Structures are given as structure tokens and as C-alpha cells.
Amino acid sequence: MSHQLLDELEGVSGKMLRVSDFDVHPGVSADEGEGDQWPGIPYPPYA
């Protein structure tokens, strides 16, 4: 669905990232320790 939305918006570009492609540890902090890739996921995704 998000691909369809980006396709319909004129003059807008974006990059799709799937969190499932990263090793993201469960928890509520910004960094859940060694091996957690959440802090390294680029935001905004085009950065």
C-alpha cells in the first residue's frame, strides 16, 4: 500500500525500508544494546 501511495503523489520521492530487514531488538529505549540495529536505521530514510 505504501508503494501505491508514493506512486500517486506527484513531486514526492521516497525510499522504502523494511524494519524486518534489520536486527531490531525488542524494548522501549532508543538503543537496546549491542547488536541492535535500530539506532543505525537512517532517518529520514533518504539521509
Side-chain angles (χ1 to χ4, degrees):
M1 182 191 297
S2 55
H3 285 285
Q4 289 174 314
L5 178 61
L6 282 176
D7 290 343
E8 294 297 321
L9 295 172
E10 295 181 20
V12 176
S13 63
K15 180 179 177 182
M16 302 301 295
L17 294 176
R18 295 178 349 144
V19 175
S20 61
D21 291 338
F22 297 88
D23 183 16
V24 176
H25 298 178
V28 295
S29 70
D31 187 347
E32 292 299 325
E34 188 173 335
D36 185 20
Q37 290 184 312
W38 178 260
I41 296 176
Y43 183 82
Y46 48 83

